[in-house]
């Protein structure tokens, strides 16, 4: 336990333990693997997983109440300083800072639930390089993600989206702020988007799960979680040709710039109408 936790906490190599704990390199690696397997075995069912149908329904209801129908959370990256980075690797792990860093990409919801984490790319990468290698849209592209259907301003959509900052690409699955908005509608949208996107910034600040917030956020709306179908998505066809064509179609839909622009315009109008009603 001591060897595994020290390696994870300080980022030291396995052979470092030989001098400190009198444990050989091979034994340290074996201990680390057993420790990680135990963590996954104990916590994977509740924490280390993608959202199921019940989670999706909850996130969509919360997004609706915040003025963003179809929103599943906020996405961003941070650079995690690697104090004990080996000297021979420092070149590839140094980016816009002078210290070696490892990049962490997360998707966080309003209650600081980090349900997606992609960690390990060198600090010389940026957010665009990370998203190209990330698995955040793998289940969606493979047809295994729970369905997400909603309507905004009279237009129907079938994919959820994440709030993101300006560096992210203009994909159908991202909603970004508007830089230098010129009218009151767009100024209101930019303010609302940037305020809601602070969820991921708070998550970076605490990096912990807050279960109690899930059941108090909706207040008097009395959303009944037990009525939601908790079954997973329908099984994917095993026809290789069909699967390949469907995968390509879904992959292109995720990166559709036209849907991105339309979705942003619809949200501008939707939030402005909510502002007028209030």
């Amino acid at each position: 336990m001591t060897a595994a936790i020290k390696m994870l906490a300080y980022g030291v190599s396995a052979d470092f333990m030989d001098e400190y704990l009198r444990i050989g390199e091979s034994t340290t690696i074996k201990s680390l693997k057993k420790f990680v397997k135990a963590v996954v075995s104990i916590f994977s069912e509740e924490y280390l997983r993608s959202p199921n149908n019940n989670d999706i329904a909850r996130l969509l209801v919360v997004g609706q109440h915040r003025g963003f129908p179809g929103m599943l959370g906020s996405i961003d990256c941070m650079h995690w300083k690697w104090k004990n980075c080996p000297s021979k690797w420092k070149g590839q792990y140094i980016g816009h800072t002078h210290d070696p860093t490892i990049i962490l990409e997360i998707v966080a919801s309003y209650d600081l639930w980090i349900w997606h984490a992609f960690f390990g790319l060198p600090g010389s990468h940026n957010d665009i390089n990370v998203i190209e290698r990330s698995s955040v849209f793998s289940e969606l592209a493979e047809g295994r993600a729970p369905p997400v259907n909603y309507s905004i301003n009279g237009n129907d959509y079938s994919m959820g989206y994440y709030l993101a900052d300006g560096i992210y690409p203009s994909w159908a699955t991202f909603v970004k702020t508007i830089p230098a908005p010129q009218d009151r509608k767009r100024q209101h949208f930019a303010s609302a988007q940037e305020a809601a996107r602070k969820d991921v910034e708070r998550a970076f600040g605490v990096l912990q799960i807050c279960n109690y917030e899930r059941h108090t956020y909706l207040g008097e709306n009395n959303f009944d979680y037990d009525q939601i179908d908790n079954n997973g998505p329908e099984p994917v066809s095993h026809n290789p040709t069909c699967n390949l064509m469907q995968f390509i179609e879904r992959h292109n839909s995720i990166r559709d710039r036209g849907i991105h622009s339309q979705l942003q315009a619809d949200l501008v109008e939707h939030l402005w109408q909510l502002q007028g009603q209030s």
Side-chain angles (χ1 to χ4, degrees), residues 91-111:
Q92 61 178 316
Y93 281 86
I94 293 177
H96 64 281
T97 64
H98 297 292
D99 298 313
T101 58
I102 303 175
I103 298 178
L104 169 65
E105 175 195 77
I106 68 169
V107 173
S109 58
Y110 69 96
D111 56 358

Side-chain angles (χ1 to χ4, degrees), residues 211-243:
N211 289 319
Y212 64 90
E213 289 190 7
R214 295 188 183 182
H215 307 294
T216 59
Y217 180 84
L218 295 178
E220 299 178 355
N221 292 292
N222 295 325
F223 183 68
D224 190 355
Y225 300 103
D226 295 332
Q227 294 181 0
I228 300 299
D229 180 14
N230 199 30
N231 296 325
E234 295 183 1
V236 182
S237 167
H238 291 286
N239 185 321
T241 304
C242 178
N243 279 352

Side-chain angles (χ1 to χ4, degrees), residues 16-62:
F16 179 83
M17 304 300 166
D18 185 27
E19 179 180 352
Y20 183 71
L21 297 174
R22 299 295 189 267
I23 296 178
E25 179 179 1
S26 60
T27 306
T28 300
I29 294 175
K30 184 178 180 180
S31 301
L32 179 63
K33 290 181 178 179
K34 286 183 176 291
F35 179 84
V36 172
K37 287 181 179 179
V39 170
V40 173
S41 176
I42 295 171
F43 297 106
S44 60
E45 184 175 348
E46 184 172 0
Y47 298 113
L48 307 177
R49 60 175 177 82
S50 299
N52 55 30
N53 289 4
N54 195 4
D55 299 321
I56 293 293
R58 172 175 55 81
L59 293 173
L60 291 176
V61 169
V62 174

Side-chain angles (χ1 to χ4, degrees), residues 5 14 19 37 65 90 127 156 242:
I5 293 175
E19 179 180 352
K37 287 181 179 179
H65 281 276
K90 284 187 176 180
D127 294 16
D156 297 326
C242 178

Side-chain angles (χ1 to χ4, degrees), residues 97-173:
T97 64
H98 297 292
D99 298 313
T101 58
I102 303 175
I103 298 178
L104 169 65
E105 175 195 77
I106 68 169
V107 173
S109 58
Y110 69 96
D111 56 358
L112 306 185
W113 177 32
I114 300 174
W115 56 261
H116 163 78
F118 179 59
F119 183 63
L121 286 186
S124 56
H125 290 67
N126 58 28
D127 294 16
I128 298 177
N129 304 137
V130 175
I131 197 65
E132 292 287 353
R133 293 162 173 78
S134 172
S135 61
V136 63
F137 296 125
S138 296
E139 291 191 355
L140 180 60
E142 295 168 6
R144 296 185 288 110
V148 176
N149 298 294
Y150 58 97
S151 179
I152 308 177
N153 201 34
N155 293 315
D156 297 326
Y157 297 92
S158 59
M159 291 187 298
Y161 59 85
Y162 310 116
L163 302 184
D165 59 20
I167 193 175
Y168 279 85
S170 299
W171 292 357
T173 47

